[in-house]
Amino acid sequence: QQVRKHKQGMIDLLVDEFETEIMSPFHAETRSGTVILDFKNKQTVIMQALSHTNISVDARHLGMRVSAHIYNDTDDIQQFIDVVKQNY
């Protein structure tokens, strides 16, 4: 229960920041511990920038899958947000 709460808190930060890019279930009660984001024609550039800063995401057919884990914290999520915003 605590792990899910932590992961959902991290994902909430992404949902709040990238509301219009969310391709996966939006509401916490219907989503898993991952979120799919689609940055359209900037997807490749953003994924490369994330890789260069050692942030791992997975390419999926609907967009990039971002998965927060128990060892991630708000600083990690903010770094992700910052890299995306610099390249979007």
Side-chain angles (χ1 to χ4, degrees), residues 27-70:
H27 299 288
E29 59 274 1
T30 59
R31 69 180 181 228
S32 68
T34 64
V35 65
I36 305 291
L37 299 167
D38 184 15
F39 296 104
K40 308 288 185 222
N41 62 336
K42 293 289 191 168
Q43 193 86 344
T44 301
V45 170
I46 290 170
M47 289 187 72
Q48 289 171 346
L50 290 167
S51 178
H52 290 319
T53 56
N54 294 318
I55 298 173
S56 297
V57 296
D58 294 321
R60 302 293 183 190
H61 74 281
L62 292 176
M64 75 174 66
R65 182 184 70 147
V66 180
S67 180
H69 293 285
I70 193 68

Side-chain angles (χ1 to χ4, degrees), residues 11 13 24 28 33 43 46 56 61 69 73 78 83:
I11 291 173
L13 298 172
S24 52
Q43 193 86 344
I46 290 170
S56 297
H61 74 281
H69 293 285
D73 60 22
Q78 189 59 54
V83 171

Side-chain angles (χ1 to χ4, degrees), residues 5-14 16-18 55 66 68-83:
K5 183 178 179 181
H6 174 78
K7 290 172 80 170
Q8 290 301 318
M10 299 298 100
I11 291 173
D12 283 342
L13 298 172
L14 295 174
D16 291 345
E17 192 67 45
F18 301 114
I55 298 173
V66 180
H69 293 285
I70 193 68
Y71 52 80
N72 293 119
D73 60 22
T74 55
D75 290 341
D76 296 324
I77 300 303
Q78 189 59 54
Q79 182 183 14
F80 174 91
I81 291 167
D82 292 344
V83 171

